[in-house]
Amino acid sequence: MLHTTLMVIHFFTAVSIVLLVLLQRGKGADAGAGFGAGASGTVFGARGAGTALSRTTAILAGVFMITSLSLTYVGSRSAAPPSSVLERLSQQPANPPVTNTPAPSGAPAPAPAGTATPTAPAKPAQ
């Protein structure tokens, strides 16, 4: 739940930063004023837009860094130990461990691995 909340905040912060950066006027925009682009900065005033937008961008950048560090911390924490019987059973291995049980007294013991089992010779056909 915490991870999902942090991801949503992180996503909206990133989108907001991108939009605010695209809205801001670059430092090289004053060079275009001589060629008819002088009215591009009059919407927010000469200086008002630069300080408000840059301050908001700085705040969002700080929030972005905090959510990045928080997501790293939440993602690196080890999972809590299982608290219910069903969780414990779901974490057990699928194949039970192999145990060596002695063979019944009437049956022959299996041959060790890598050795051939002796067989009786076949009777010749008459």
Side-chain angles (χ1 to χ4, degrees), residues 23-25 41-56:
L23 281 175
Q24 292 179 22
R25 244 174 89 186
T42 59
V43 176
F44 296 109
R47 285 192 57 142
T51 57
L53 290 178
S54 63
R55 183 173 296 163
T56 307

Side-chain angles (χ1 to χ4, degrees), residues 70-96:
S70 301
L71 282 169
T72 303
Y73 175 73
V74 169
S76 66
R77 278 193 315 189
S78 62
S83 60
S84 70
V85 174
L86 292 176
E87 288 178 0
R88 286 187 205 127
L89 289 176
S90 67
Q91 291 181 353
Q92 287 182 349
N95 296 331

Side-chain angles (χ1 to χ4, degrees), residues 97-104 109-110:
V98 178
T99 58
N100 293 331
T101 57

